Amino acid sequence: MASMKDIAKLAGVSTSTVSHVISKRRYVSEEISERVNKAAKELNYFPSALARSLKMNRTNTIGMLVTNSTNPFFGEVVKGVERHCYEKGYNLILCNTEGDHNRMRESIDTLMQKRVDGLILMCPSLEGEKLESFERSPNIPVVVMDWGTMSFESDKIQDNSLHGGYLAAQHLIEHGHRNIGCITGPMSKYQAQKRFEGFKQALQQADIDLNSQWVDEGNFECDGGYNAMQRILKQDKLPSAVFVCNDMMAMGAINAAHELGITIPEQLSIIGYDDLHIARFMSPALTTIHQPKFRLGKAAVDAILQKLSNADAPHKTVQLEPKLVERKTVRTVVEP
């Protein structure tokens, strides 16, 4: 592998001049720069990222951990992170924990060993856990996304799930529904709790009683929505509408309804949450609550960069607001 000394010899300049040209930290005449760059190209020289990181104490790399990168929601958030990293001259190392606690801890240790400049965590399955790696490396900025209580200090980026759940129920109520069910996410998770809480607030304000037989807990995956909807539809009296607390479960719920010959929205209205890219292409297209996934990713990167530029800045929480996206899965109920 060619070195700066090899380039200097071929270009007829000093090693320090080669360093100045490659690093672009000092002015070097156009003629000399051209000679150096030509020599570097002929020798297939590539600057050592490791050497540069040791000298600058920065790697221009951000690590990100997600619970399940196969879920389209995570993929859309990661897209926002990766795009903004690229725009800011940073590389992204992505690790998928698949909800495994040990894998999560090992991934954090690996990223620390790779000297990442900051960490973005999107692993709510570890909410509230103590992570010793952060105690050993307190100067590495950490941003968490959609977590509840944390045992370590960090910036936090989150969707206002309380308001999102409220919007979903309000939309159903405004369309005349009073017999409303809900498929929640795992109630151990902060965002699932908040979406259900917002949902109940809207019903209470409209003086609508919540039938516990129409409430079932899912797992934020398609099979969870499918199984929960099957249980709800076994009741003697059925709801006219169901709020499903994410789009993945909504897809499973709609499938379960179709298997029982229940048409959407003629016999059962459905509203989801997240506004995945595929939601608009479902049949019928899914009415849902839009979560600003790309902006969540961008905000997480910005929080890391701000902390790198000012390590003493206080930790903050950035909350992005959801909004209703009306499509074809909610019908208007006309009172007789």
Side-chain angles (χ1 to χ4, degrees):
M1 182 179 293
S3 66
M4 286 192 182
K5 287 184 179 180
D6 298 324
I7 297 172
K9 183 177 179 180
L10 182 59
V13 298
S14 68
T15 303
S16 61
T17 298
V18 174
S19 177
H20 297 331
V21 172
I22 291 174
S23 66
K24 298 180 181 179
R25 288 196 296 270
R26 291 189 185 180
Y27 172 77
V28 179
S29 70
E30 185 175 340
E31 186 269 331
I32 293 178
S33 294
E34 186 175 339
R35 279 163 47 195
V36 170
N37 288 326
K38 182 180 178 181
K41 186 175 181 180
E42 288 180 11
L43 294 171
N44 293 318
Y45 172 81
F46 291 95
S48 170
L50 177 60
R52 184 169 59 248
S53 67
L54 291 173
K55 187 173 183 179
M56 303 297 294
N57 200 29
R58 289 283 176 86
T59 62
N60 275 35
T61 302
I62 292 174
M64 182 175 185
L65 282 82
V66 299
T67 298
N68 183 0
S69 62
T70 62
N71 186 319
F73 170 78
F74 292 102
E76 292 180 29
V77 174
V78 169
K79 183 179 180 180
V81 171
E82 193 279 331
R83 175 76 61 82
H84 203 50
C85 280
Y86 173 77
E87 291 171 350
K88 295 297 184 179
Y90 275 73
N91 297 309
L92 178 68
I93 300 177
L94 179 65
C95 296
N96 179 10
T97 71
E98 296 184 352
D100 187 300
H101 290 211
N102 290 330
R103 188 169 172 178
M104 164 76 165
R105 294 172 181 277
E106 290 173 2
S107 295
I108 291 175
D109 288 341
T110 297
L111 291 171
M112 294 294 195
Q113 292 166 15
K114 291 184 179 297
R115 298 171 58 87
V116 294
D117 295 334
L119 274 175
I120 298 173
L121 304 180
M122 201 174 185
C123 304
S125 59
L126 293 178
E127 178 181 315
E129 285 208 10
K130 184 177 181 180
L131 299 173
E132 294 81 2
S133 298
F134 300 146
E135 295 178 357
R136 297 196 303 268
S137 304
N139 296 324
I140 294 181
V142 178
V143 172
V144 300
M145 304 176 74
D146 280 349
W147 276 17
T149 304
M150 296 173 293
S151 61
F152 53 91
E153 291 187 340
S154 75
D155 286 41
K156 187 172 183 179
I157 313 295
Q158 65 183 19
D159 164 63
N160 187 349
S161 287
L162 179 71
H163 185 53
Y166 182 91
L167 289 176
Q170 184 183 53
H171 181 69
L172 296 175
I173 294 167
E174 289 175 348
H175 280 70
H177 294 276
R178 297 189 66 83
N179 298 320
I180 305 173
C182 181
I183 298 177
T184 73
M187 291 307 289
S188 60
K189 303 295 185 289
Y190 176 79
Q191 298 304 328
Q193 296 168 15
K194 289 300 179 182
R195 290 173 195 180
F196 187 46
E197 184 180 338
F199 167 81
K200 291 188 293 184
Q201 283 184 7
L203 265 60
Q204 289 169 0
Q205 289 181 12
D207 198 25
I208 296 174
D209 293 328
L210 179 60
N211 187 335
S212 61
Q213 293 184 324
W214 297 337
V215 177
D216 209 302
E217 184 174 349
N219 61 358
F220 281 152
E221 301 293 340
C222 290
D223 63 338
Y226 177 88
N227 295 330
M229 181 59 82
Q230 282 193 322
R231 290 189 289 267
I232 290 174
L233 295 180
K234 287 179 181 178
Q235 305 302 320
D236 293 334
K237 183 180 179 181
L238 301 183
S240 65
V242 176
F243 168 40
V244 187
C245 288
N246 82 339
D247 290 353
M248 292 288 283
M249 291 195 301
M251 285 188 277
I254 290 172
N255 189 22
H258 283 167
E259 287 185 359
L260 294 174
I262 297 173
T263 57
I264 309 295
E266 290 79 11
Q267 293 174 280
L268 179 67
S269 292
I270 297 284
I271 183 168
Y273 199 109
D274 283 340
D275 191 24
L276 297 178
H277 180 69
I278 59 176
R280 72 193 69 181
F281 300 108
M282 293 171 60
S283 182
L286 181 66
T287 295
T288 186
I289 302 299
H290 174 78
Q291 187 172 184
K293 300 169 289 299
F294 195 88
R295 287 196 293 124
L296 282 169
K298 180 179 182 298
V301 176
D302 284 338
I304 291 286
L305 299 183
Q306 288 169 11
K307 205 70 177 178
L308 288 172
S309 64
N310 182 10
D312 296 326
H315 294 294
K316 63 182 180 180
T317 296
V318 177
Q319 183 163 270
L320 302 178
E321 295 300 321
K323 64 180 181 180
L324 173 73
V325 178
E326 188 170 1
R327 295 193 179 105
K328 302 294 184 181
T329 55
V330 175
R331 76 179 182 98
T332 299
V333 174
V334 179
E335 293 290 341

